[in-house]
Amino acid sequence: MGNLEFSRDTVYLDTVFTGLSSSTHTLKVYNRSNEDIHIPQIALGRGESSAYRLNVDGLPGKSFSNVEIMAKDSIYIFIETTVDLQETDQKEFLYNDAIEFISSGHRQEVPLVTLVKDAIFLFPDKDEEGGIETIPLGVDEQGEEIRAKGFLLGEQHLNFTNEKAYVIYGYAVVPSGKTLTINAGARIYFHENSGILVSDAATLNVKGSLSENRENPINEVIFQGDRLSEEFENIPGQWGTIWLKRGSINNSFHHATIRNSTVGILAEGDQQRTAPLLQLKNTQIYNSAVNGLLGVGAGISAENLVINSSGQASVHLIGGSYEFKHSSLLNYWNEGFRLFPAVLLENEIISETNVRSINLEKALFSNCIIFGNERQELLFNRNENAAFNFEFRNCLIKFEDPSGEFTEDPLYDFTSEAHYSAIILNENPFFWNVDNDDFRLQEGSPAIDSGNLPTANEVPFDILNVSRLPDPDLGAYEWVKK
């Protein structure tokens, strides 16, 4: 057997959860010589007990005999694994094996490496007929009930810890009158079309805390899809949403990151209640297929909030009452064309059959950055039949209008004291690295020292716990001289 060449020295499979199959990985084996190569045996080092599975040139198995590779040709080997951590006492470990290429007096191998994580799996039950448990989501315009796969969280699952990852299938419902608490360092992974739903009179408290190392946020609470291979790292729409239903109360997110959802947080308000619906502090939302934050008649307060990359508006507010302080509300969507801005304010709900006005009681943005890769990153849709109250104080806003389309619209008069004060218009904020969601400011940014002090006194530390006093910058990050 001559020397074979390989497309990889080592095959690193995905990080996988215990008991779940990895994605399929490929190894290409080359015969660069001018002669055919006969391989007496290709096999896994652990033999039939190996947790890896192979497919060699179209044939499945763990050991293969008399494999031929023609001169100047190649073959494909496809590799998968499923590892059960219940056989160990570890929360995660590296599982290793190797593909061995063996002939008389000659041996080559390609190592296989997989990180396996233990997890708590939460999913709907099956009924006696084998159907999967569902939950009601509401009614459609014809009055028909809408249902989705989901389940009520039991008492034993109302406190998510950082001891193991949580993998959720379908919608995990926080029952009425109950509180789901998620501790610092917890990791929550969602399967396709899954999420968390907080019922009427229920509460979700996400209690992440500051991590010393920005690159290793071990104390943050992280929500993302359950596809852990590198190719899915920044793919939007892998799961549903965190849905705060009308009537839920006192929900809060502290030091949380939400990635790759359809809608990061959907907050439905009940204007008959005075209790706040949602508080966001030091929270980041990235790569949402539709919206990062969607508020409908909601009451939301946010500080040190960062949202980027949404297929529609990153922040979409329809009626309700809102206050954003020192937030970076951005949309650098690069998955295709989009019609919607970073921030969209409306006071009407449009359906297939009617238009319903809803009061926008308050929308205050103070010391914020609203920017992105389209000309207009702030837009309004006003219905004259309902209140439409908004104000921007000390904000950097991107709104380019080269054709004068909005010149006569008073809502976009950025000199109007009724709605705007100390606005920086269309100046590049000079972020560190947009592609890596690093929205720290570079030296020379017009956002530096441009904030108002009263707001900064209410939020004296930035998202990384850097003091922004006495000269506050705009956005979630305070510039630090290197």
Side-chain angles (χ1 to χ4, degrees), residues 316-347:
H316 188 178
L317 308 177
I318 307 172
S321 180
Y322 309 93
E323 188 166 357
F324 294 83
K325 304 172 186 175
H326 280 289
S327 294
S328 300
L329 309 176
L330 315 167
N331 203 347
Y332 288 91
W333 178 258
N334 59 12
E335 299 292 326
F337 179 74
R338 64 177 166 94
L339 290 171
F340 296 86
V343 175
L344 174 61
L345 303 183
E346 300 188 277
N347 65 344

Side-chain angles (χ1 to χ4, degrees), residues 146-189:
I146 303 170
R147 301 187 71 88
K149 293 178 182 178
F151 58 96
L152 289 175
L153 289 168
E155 291 285 348
Q156 73 277 24
H157 290 137
L158 288 176
N159 184 21
F160 289 6
T161 72
N162 61 9
E163 295 179 5
K164 294 183 180 181
Y166 292 80
V167 182
I168 295 176
Y169 291 75
Y171 276 85
V173 179
V174 185
S176 180
K178 301 295 183 179
T179 297
L180 170 60
T181 300
I182 302 181
N183 294 351
R187 300 291 184 263
I188 297 91
Y189 300 88

